[in-house]
Amino acid sequence: GISVYKVVSSASSEVGVQIVGQTDYWDSVNIVPDSEGEYGTVDKGKAVGDFLGQLSPGGFEAVAAAPELPYSLLRRGDGYEVRK
């Protein structure tokens, strides 16, 4: 995600950092097609639907490449998976 920070100072000359916003991007829904990995905004309904799909039975698992090849799912995007 992208975070926005600002430096805060007070009359007592204390200086600190305050987070004023954060935007999260998910590979599975926010990577713009044919963009070489750039992130874009999507409808919140699409993002929530993707999240709920991960929670459904079998939704968090990738399809096995072959029964004899164990793997760990490292990253999932729209139309691709990175496995170890």
Side-chain angles (χ1 to χ4, degrees):
I2 297 174
S3 298
V4 180
Y5 302 92
K6 73 176 181 178
V7 176
V8 180
S9 61
S10 64
S12 65
S13 71
E14 293 181 23
V15 176
V17 176
Q18 179 181 18
I19 299 173
V20 295
Q22 179 170 331
T23 304
D24 291 319
Y25 293 104
W26 300 349
D27 292 349
S28 56
V29 294
N30 290 109
I31 292 182
V32 177
D34 304 318
S35 69
E36 298 185 18
E38 294 179 30
Y39 292 97
T41 57
V42 295
D43 178 72
K44 288 182 183 179
K46 182 175 182 179
V48 170
D50 180 72
F51 175 70
L52 294 175
Q54 293 178 42
L55 298 178
S56 66
F60 193 67
E61 300 172 8
V63 179
E68 71 279 0
L69 297 176
Y71 64 89
S72 296
L73 181 61
L74 301 176
R75 190 174 197 178
R76 178 181 66 88
D78 187 15
Y80 76 94
E81 296 169 344
V82 178
R83 302 173 180 182
K84 174 182 175 186

